Amino acid sequence: MPSDDSARLDRRMVHEGRIVRLSVDTVRFPDGSVGELELVRHRGASCVVPFLEDPTTAADPRVVMLRQYRYAAGGAMWEVPAGMPAFDGEDWDVCARRELEEETGYVPGTLRRLTEIHTTPGFTDEVIRIYAAWDLSEGSTGRDADEFMEVVALPWSEVEGLIEQGEITDAKTLVSLLYAGRFLLEPGRRG
């Protein structure tokens, strides 16, 4: 969902980069007052929780995780594969499939949309679409020059341990894993 342009009175662009655009918007708030807000505009992204086994039936399915270097976070982080559309208007399912293959070398046979999240609505319009994938086959990687990552397959039980111990701190990854655990894995175990 884009920002409420009906409330915007003025926009001053501060920066237009490869990933984000920063503006200072003058807006009318719901109470009628007027103020300025800094807004980071982002095209959005797709992310994928990839399983090596069917997560709806396997007892402890393995999850393909990334150990990715993130300058802003001060080092490597546990993440699920994710990325932005290759061009404006790229279908989100296509984006998810492409990013999964580029970052892990896996192509999904099954791709299921789970949900979407607003990452930080206090200052950005970024929305991430979350998917789960399984029935994986080998493809080929195609990482960007600034992407440094290791692909690691972990049993679901170990992933849950990393979450509980606070080892997974990337928000999109936490939401994706917890959502998949609650709404994808648990129903299959009730059965």
Side-chain angles (χ1 to χ4, degrees), residues 3-190:
S3 59
D4 181 8
D5 285 335
S6 65
R8 187 184 68 208
L9 303 173
D10 190 35
R11 170 171 294 147
R12 180 173 47 88
M13 291 304 296
V14 176
H15 173 76
E16 293 191 55
R18 179 176 62 94
I19 297 176
V20 298
R21 295 176 295 141
L22 173 62
S23 66
V24 177
D25 291 4
T26 304
V27 299
R28 183 170 314 281
F29 297 113
D31 70 354
S33 63
V34 173
E36 285 189 338
L37 296 174
E38 297 170 350
L39 184 62
V40 176
R41 299 188 178 284
H42 189 282
R43 289 187 299 172
S46 289
C47 75
V48 184
V49 180
F51 291 94
L52 291 174
E53 294 84 27
D54 184 334
T56 65
T57 59
D60 196 13
R62 291 172 295 158
V63 181
V64 178
M65 298 286 295
L66 301 174
R67 191 76 177 141
Q68 184 165 354
Y69 172 75
R70 294 294 191 180
Y71 171 76
M77 303 182 74
W78 287 108
E79 294 187 44
V80 294
M84 298 186 317
F87 55 88
D88 287 339
E90 181 180 32
D91 182 84
W92 294 109
D93 292 15
V94 172
C95 178
R97 289 177 183 278
R98 180 180 44 74
E99 286 296 329
L100 175 60
E101 183 176 11
E102 286 178 1
E103 293 188 352
T104 69
Y106 286 109
V107 177
T110 301
L111 183 72
R112 181 182 295 178
R113 184 186 177 282
L114 299 178
T115 192
E116 63 182 43
I117 59 172
H118 292 86
T119 60
T120 317
F123 65 84
T124 183
D125 63 356
E126 180 184 28
V127 174
I128 297 181
R129 286 82 181 165
I130 300 173
Y131 295 83
W134 58 95
D135 299 326
L136 305 179
S137 60
E138 287 190 34
S140 57
T141 58
R143 297 181 184 139
D144 295 335
D146 63 351
E147 291 181 318
F148 300 92
M149 60 189 73
E150 175 187 4
V151 179
V152 181
L154 300 172
W156 181 257
S157 56
E158 193 171 327
V159 170
E160 287 181 317
L162 289 172
I163 292 170
E164 186 176 12
Q165 296 161 19
E167 294 295 318
I168 298 176
T169 59
D170 173 58
K172 75 177 177 311
T173 298
L174 278 169
V175 170
S176 300
L177 293 169
L178 293 171
Y179 193 98
R182 175 62 178 92
F183 298 108
L184 189 63
L185 275 66
E186 285 185 18
R189 290 179 171 74
R190 291 187 199 125

